[in-house]
């Protein structure tokens, strides 16, 4: 067996450690978006494959027998390419993907389908907005330049943001309810814009918004092609064991 983890998330890192612990031969792949990827005990490669065809070549060249797509649920391109490349090569694929968050009592969510809809929902009057989305999705918010935005990134941005009033906090999660509540209260945040990532690492801000009584513009996950899904590292390991027995 030789597994490929498509990574870049906390879950992918936990899975990497679990595979290393079980002495399963595996490679961890990063897109290379952050300057210092978090360390774990697997050999890694960094950078795109060159589309689905490039990934298919990689799978064959590296003799990959199993692919685990543990990318972020909003990393749509990579996930689509994984489905396509695994279909082309016949390599079994599973997605390690946490269930999306669901509304709890006290939540004030406005659910939208995409970034442009999120921009449209923001009020016209100036407000203090915590924009908890990836840096590559910020440009549409330039259509509402009147707001004071707060953004949080793993690395400092390497170019100016298209928002006239933006505070950038450089910090790497996971975050706690207490620290996110203090951060949001301290900055006088009135709106939170978030993507429905699911899982634990990113949910502190959602819980903090509920406690502070703030409206949350929640962007739904994009649609992905049909693929096998598991929700935990343990289930991904079990899938690998099961697939290996089938292949034996
Ligand atoms: P994306 O739009 O789906 O991917 C764009 C391209 O980047 C892919 O087509 C692929 O290039 C390359 N790529 C993405 N993930 C890769 C990986 N793990 N290994 C090798 N190449 C990869 O993805 P994204 O939204 O830019 O996210 C990039 C990475 O950041 C992902 O690995 C994801 O897990 C992580 N991340 C994303 C978010 C988010 O909010 N989207 C949040 C946390 C972490 P080629 O076509 O050339 O192969």
């Amino acid at each position: 067996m030789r597994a490929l983890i498509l990574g870049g998330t906390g879950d992918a890192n936990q899975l990497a450690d679990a595979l290393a612990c079980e002495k399963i031969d595996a490679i961890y792949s990063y897109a290379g978006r952050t300057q210092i990827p978090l360390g774990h005990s697997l050999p890694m490669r960094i950078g795109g494959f060159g589309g689905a065809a490039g990934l298919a070549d990689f799978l064959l060249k590296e003799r990959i027998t199993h692919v685990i797509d543990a990318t972020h649920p909003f990393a749509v391109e990579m996930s689509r390419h994984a489905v396509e490349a695994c279909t082309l090569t016949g390599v079994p694929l599973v997605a390690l993907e946490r269930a999306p968050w669901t509304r709890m009592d006290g939540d004030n969510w406005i659910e939208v389908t995409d970034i442009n809809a999120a921009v449209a929902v923001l009020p016209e009057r100036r407000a203090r907005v915590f924009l908890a989305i990836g840096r590559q999705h910020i440009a549409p918010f330039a259509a509402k330049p009147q707001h004071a935005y707060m953004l949080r990134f793993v690395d400092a941005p390497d170019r100016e943001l298209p928002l006239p009033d933006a505070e950038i906090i450089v910090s790497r999660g996971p975050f706690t309810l207490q620290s996110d509540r203090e951060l949001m209260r301290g900055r006088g945040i009135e709106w939170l814009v978030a993507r429905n990532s699911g899982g634990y690492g990113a949910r502190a801000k959602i819980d903090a918004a509920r406690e502070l009584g703030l409206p949350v513009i929640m962007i739904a996950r994009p649609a992905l092609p049909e693929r096998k899904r598991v929700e935990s590292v343990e289930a991904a390991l079990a899938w690998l064991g099961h697939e290996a027995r089938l292949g034996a």
Side-chain angles (χ1 to χ4, degrees), residues 148-172:
Y149 292 100
M150 180 180 86
L151 303 101
R152 184 162 61 189
F153 298 140
V154 174
D155 300 308
D158 52 6
R159 67 196 71 162
E160 215 174 302
L161 299 183
L163 306 171
D165 186 350
E167 180 192 5
I168 294 155
I169 294 171
V170 178
S171 182
R172 194 192 279 269

Side-chain angles (χ1 to χ4, degrees), residues 184-203:
M184 289 156 75
R185 201 197 327 250
R187 298 299 202 284
I189 295 297
E190 298 164 278
W191 288 79
L192 169 64
V193 180
R195 295 177 305 174
N196 197 336
S197 309
Y200 303 102
R203 77 160 297 142

Side-chain angles (χ1 to χ4, degrees), residues 6-9 29-31 33 45 47-51 71-72 74-78 81 136 195:
L6 301 170
T9 59
S29 176
Y30 282 106
R33 298 282 192 276
R45 62 163 303 286
F49 296 96
T71 57
H72 190 269
F74 283 76
V76 191
E77 283 309 304
M78 188 68 257
H81 295 169
Q136 61 277 40
R195 295 177 305 174

Side-chain angles (χ1 to χ4, degrees), residues 54-193:
L55 176 56
D57 285 348
F58 180 90
L59 298 180
L60 297 175
K61 201 165 122 242
E62 292 291 331
R63 300 176 183 279
I64 300 294
T65 58
H66 298 79
V67 177
I68 301 134
D69 177 1
T71 57
H72 190 269
F74 283 76
V76 191
E77 283 309 304
M78 188 68 257
S79 293
R80 287 194 182 127
H81 295 169
V83 170
E84 215 176 309
C86 288
T87 306
L88 272 172
T89 54
V91 176
L93 165 73
V94 75
L96 169 54
E97 187 187 75
R98 302 279 175 180
W101 297 314
T102 51
R103 251 175 230 263
M104 293 172 58
D105 272 357
D107 275 327
N108 176 10
W109 287 10
I110 301 160
E111 291 178 82
V112 296
T113 50
D114 58 28
I115 297 273
N116 289 331
V119 176
V121 167
L122 276 178
E124 294 307 320
R125 64 155 187 89
R126 179 175 164 84
R128 300 191 70 83
V129 180
F130 181 6
L131 210 49
I133 60 173
R135 69 181 69 195
Q136 61 277 40
H137 307 293
I138 287 161
F141 289 90
K144 293 243 168 109
Q146 65 269 44
H147 298 310
Y149 292 100
M150 180 180 86
L151 303 101
R152 184 162 61 189
F153 298 140
V154 174
D155 300 308
D158 52 6
R159 67 196 71 162
E160 215 174 302
L161 299 183
L163 306 171
D165 186 350
E167 180 192 5
I168 294 155
I169 294 171
V170 178
S171 182
R172 194 192 279 269
F175 304 101
T176 66
L177 169 58
Q178 192 187 0
S179 64
D180 270 2
R181 192 177 49 217
E182 290 321 308
L183 175 71
M184 289 156 75
R185 201 197 327 250
R187 298 299 202 284
I189 295 297
E190 298 164 278
W191 288 79
L192 169 64
V193 180

